[in-house]
Amino acid sequence: MNKILKQIDWLLIGPFLFLSVIGILVVFSASSAFPSGAFGFLFRQSLFALLGILTVAIFDFFIKIRWLASPKLASIALGVTFVLLAFARFISSRSAGTGAHGWIALPFFNIQPAEIFKITVILYLSSLAARRLDKSERRSSKNIPSKTTLPAARRYFGFLPSQIAFVMANLLLVLIMPDLGNSLIAFFLILLIVFASGVHLKWLLLMLLTITALYLLLPTLLNLLPASFLNGNFQARRFLIFLNPWPYSSSYSMQLINSFYAIAHGGLFGVGLGNSIEKMGYLPEANTDFIMSIFTEELGALALFLVVAVLMLMIGRMFYIAFHIKNNFGRLVLYGIGSYFFIQALVNLGGIIGALPMTGVTFPFISYGGSSFLISSISVGIACTVSREYSRQQARQKQTSRAGVVV
């Protein structure tokens, strides 16, 4: 038993368990005003949490990192994701609220393939880049020239055109659901994996400067567009609300305005678990996209800070291992997963306070939803697998240093 407990990376598992429990409590509270009752949501979210814990345990104790690093398995996973995305886009029915596709209905819960894409694209690009880096390191260690007599296939940022096209085809399906939030998150994850795999620093700096400039110029650029275009469809209205939500407080921006009210009502310490006013029919999607508004109203801004700090502890642990591990796949996949959690939380919180356009992105482990929770759990499980490899690396280094002392 002690051996099993020592194998667990508590800086990954501890935050995961803490956030999962908080999520169950807040989903139950946020769903209490729903006509169907809160206990159904409580049961399903608890079931998702149990399945998530089981998933993390399987990865932590049984899955080997070399299995995850296989480009063939990653290609199959991304291929299955493409099929699911195509099914969701062209066969499944539209969402009644947004008019978007994106969900595959099952008897007990719905699958959102866009959530699956975010982890499969991380695995796919990490496995391909790691294989390329491993080969390059082996050639360098054996003093083998990188150039051969055979012409090499043309690569772009280290990837073949067919590989780039495969990823972009999946991303395009997410974009035309339409699912702007998940497509943007996936796009940034793709860029991060590409840059982490060895692209020159100048391109990374250029990307960061471009993103910063676009964000700062976004209000100005949106004001140049005609109002008829911004009023034209659901996705465009999100940018209209981002510009100025107050003129549309009784229509388009009702959700965001009530999010403001909920956060202001909660203050630093909250009004108490279960005592939210905004969840009583005023704030739509109170247990999913805007659950952190209800969380802040009931438990306060200090509790929100605590939750974000716990999530950042997990993300920080992932980045720490990624920085120190020698396994190329482990390094890349942890950079990807850590960035996935960070961007997901940033976009969700930015949306509920009006700092970013609303995108319908959930908060990791706390928002209600099976697809999001289980994919997040798989991501933590993969991180635990990499952490186990890092522990073995540390053990080998200690043995080597002891052998050196003895000699």
Side-chain angles (χ1 to χ4, degrees):
M1 186 66 177
N2 289 334
K3 185 178 180 181
I4 293 175
L5 291 176
K6 286 181 180 179
Q7 181 177 326
I8 296 174
D9 189 336
W10 290 106
L11 290 177
L12 293 175
I13 298 298
F16 165 68
L17 295 175
F18 174 81
L19 294 172
S20 299
V21 171
I22 293 295
I24 293 171
L25 293 175
V26 180
V27 164
F28 178 62
S29 176
S31 308
S32 59
F34 284 33
S36 57
F39 286 97
F41 292 98
L42 174 66
F43 172 77
R44 286 190 291 273
Q45 189 71 5
S46 300
L47 180 60
F48 297 148
L50 289 174
L51 290 174
I53 292 170
L54 178 62
T55 300
V56 171
I58 290 172
F59 274 91
D60 199 4
F61 295 110
F62 301 108
I63 303 298
K64 299 180 186 296
I65 192 171
R66 69 171 183 270
W67 300 347
L68 299 173
S70 168
K72 287 185 179 180
L73 288 178
S75 299
I76 292 171
L78 192 60
V80 171
T81 303
F82 180 83
V83 173
L84 292 174
L85 287 169
F87 185 90
R89 176 60 184 86
F90 298 110
I91 299 178
S92 291
S93 58
R94 292 176 178 267
S95 168
T98 65
H101 298 271
W103 297 89
I104 299 175
L106 295 178
F108 299 103
F109 67 98
N110 298 331
I111 294 177
Q112 189 178 13
E115 292 287 346
I116 301 174
F117 173 60
K118 285 183 285 190
I119 188 60
T120 53
V121 75
I122 290 173
L123 290 172
Y124 179 71
L125 293 176
S126 298
S127 63
L128 291 174
R131 183 176 62 176
R132 171 172 51 83
L133 293 171
D134 290 342
K135 288 181 179 179
S136 177
E137 289 173 2
R138 284 195 295 270
R139 283 196 298 263
S140 298
S141 63
K142 296 177 181 179
N143 295 319
I144 300 174
S146 59
K147 294 183 179 180
T148 63
T149 55
L150 295 176
R154 185 171 180 81
R155 292 178 179 269
Y156 299 88
F157 298 106
F159 297 93
L160 297 172
S162 59
Q163 296 165 348
I164 296 174
F166 190 25
V167 170
M168 289 297 109
N170 279 268
L171 182 63
L172 180 62
L173 283 176
V174 178
L175 185 62
I176 65 174
M177 291 290 178
D179 189 340
L180 180 63
N182 281 317
S183 60
L184 284 175
I185 291 174
F187 178 69
F188 285 128
L189 291 175
I190 291 167
L191 290 180
L192 284 165
I193 296 294
V194 169
F195 286 118
S197 65
V199 173
H200 198 280
L201 182 62
K202 67 178 181 181
W203 294 109
L204 176 59
L205 293 175
L206 180 62
M207 181 194 75
L208 293 175
L209 289 172
T210 302
I211 293 172
T212 303
L214 285 175
Y215 177 75
L216 295 175
L217 292 172
L218 185 58
T220 303
L221 295 174
L222 291 174
N223 278 318
L224 297 176
L225 298 174
S228 58
F229 172 78
L230 293 175
N231 278 287
N233 59 70
F234 182 80
Q235 296 294 330
R237 285 182 210 139
R238 291 179 170 179
F239 291 97
L240 183 67
I241 295 167
F242 171 70
L243 282 174
N244 184 8
W246 298 104
Y248 314 97
S249 59
S250 60
S251 55
Y252 303 151
S253 62
M254 179 186 68
Q255 196 175 28
L256 181 60
I257 297 298
N258 281 283
S259 174
F260 294 162
Y261 292 156
I263 294 170
H265 186 214
L268 283 177
F269 303 102
V271 296
L273 187 65
N275 295 327
S276 166
I277 294 175
E278 292 299 325
K279 71 182 181 184
M280 308 302 292
Y282 298 103
L283 181 59
E285 310 295 339
N287 63 353
T288 53
D289 305 349
F290 282 79
I291 195 168
M292 299 311 290
S293 302
I294 303 301
F295 176 92
T296 308
E297 183 183 11
E298 295 189 344
L299 299 177
L302 291 179
L304 176 63
F305 176 80
L306 175 62
V307 164
V308 172
V310 171
L311 181 63
M312 291 304 297
L313 176 64
M314 176 194 289
I315 295 170
R317 176 60 176 170
M318 292 178 184
F319 285 157
Y320 176 86
I321 296 172
F323 188 78
H324 290 88
I325 195 168
K326 294 180 179 178
N327 184 288
N328 285 314
F329 172 78
R331 174 174 60 85
L332 293 172
V333 82
L334 279 189
Y335 279 138
I337 292 173
S339 300
Y340 159 49
F341 284 135
F342 178 80
I343 296 173
Q344 185 103 353
L346 180 67
V347 171
N348 177 269
L349 294 177
I352 68 171
I353 65 173
L356 292 171
M358 292 187 298
T359 56
V361 170
T362 57
F363 192 90
F365 306 109
I366 293 184
S367 295
Y368 172 76
S371 294
S372 175
F373 194 97
L374 293 177
I375 292 301
S376 297
S377 300
I378 290 172
S379 301
V380 174
I382 294 170
C384 289
T385 300
V386 178
S387 176
R388 191 172 72 242
E389 176 65 22
Y390 176 62
S391 298
R392 290 173 180 167
Q393 174 187 307
Q394 287 182 307
R396 289 192 297 267
Q397 289 174 344
K398 287 180 180 179
Q399 288 177 353
T400 303
S401 62
R402 287 174 185 171
V405 170
V406 171
V407 172

